[in-house]
């Protein structure tokens, strides 16, 4: 029997965070997150509440990291839309799992490192538009 894909359609940063949280909690399956708006601008839902699997969370300033369990795959289909970091928020962070990102423009994304002090160097900024951790695998198509 062929596996089916669970599709989650989002049109705001809060909905995108909730969708990422839902997929992060999954233990198996194929998921697709579809953007249904011309532009999702980050930083617009800072502090708003979101629900993931019935649990209330305060939305972070950045998007949640995509941290998939083994046996879960994710496609983010931008539908030729824009993910805008508003010149102060990072784009997508894939820490673990197999992710395909397609038909998406990521613009104005920033991952600012920490400021150095004294004789110490600053923290690494790592990946403004897209950061892929060691346990992540990403395929890009029309990004």
């Amino acid at each position: 029997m062929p596996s089916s894909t669970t599709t989650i359609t989002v049109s705001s940063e809060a909905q995108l965070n909730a969708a990422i949280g839902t997929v992060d909690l999954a233990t198996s399956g194929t998921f697709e997150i579809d953007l249904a708006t011309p532009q999702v601008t980050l930083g617009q839902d800072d502090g708003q509440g979101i629900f993931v699997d019935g649990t209330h969370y305060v939305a972070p300033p950045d998007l949640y990291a995509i941290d998939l369990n083994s046996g879960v795959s994710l496609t983010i289909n931008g539908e030729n839309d824009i993910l805008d970091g508003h010149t102060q928020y990072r784009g997508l962070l894939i820490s673990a799992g197999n992710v395909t990102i397609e038909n998406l423009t990521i613009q104005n994304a920033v991952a600012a490192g920490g400021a150095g002090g004294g004789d110490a160097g600053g923290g690494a900024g790592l990946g403004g538009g897209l950061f892929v951790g060691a346990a992540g695998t990403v395929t890009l198509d029309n990004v």
Side-chain angles (χ1 to χ4, degrees), residues 74-143:
L74 172 62
T75 296
I76 297 175
N77 186 346
E79 303 285 341
N80 296 312
D81 293 329
I82 297 169
L83 181 65
D84 190 317
H86 203 57
T87 64
Q88 62 190 85
Y89 301 101
R90 68 168 162 71
L92 298 168
L93 189 154
I94 317 300
S95 62
N98 295 316
V99 178
T100 298
I101 304 168
E102 58 191 20
N103 306 315
L104 179 65
T105 298
I106 302 172
Q107 68 182 25
N108 302 318
V110 175
D119 291 333
L126 303 178
L130 174 64
F131 179 79
V132 182
T137 302
V138 175
T139 300
L140 301 175
D141 182 18
N142 194 33
V143 176

Side-chain angles (χ1 to χ4, degrees), residues 2-79:
S3 66
S4 62
T5 299
T6 300
T7 301
I8 305 169
T9 302
V10 302
S11 58
S12 70
E13 180 185 12
Q15 290 176 351
L16 181 54
N17 263 328
I20 291 169
T22 297
V23 176
D24 279 354
L25 290 175
T27 56
S28 66
T30 302
F31 294 83
E32 182 170 317
I33 297 174
D34 289 347
L35 271 65
T37 186
Q39 180 168 312
V40 172
T41 301
L42 304 181
Q44 303 300 303
D45 73 349
D46 187 22
Q48 291 181 10
I50 61 172
F51 287 89
V52 176
D53 198 31
T55 302
H56 181 265
Y57 297 92
V58 174
D62 284 308
L63 290 174
Y64 285 132
I66 297 170
D67 188 19
L68 304 181
N69 288 304
S70 179
V72 176
S73 63
L74 172 62
T75 296
I76 297 175
N77 186 346
E79 303 285 341

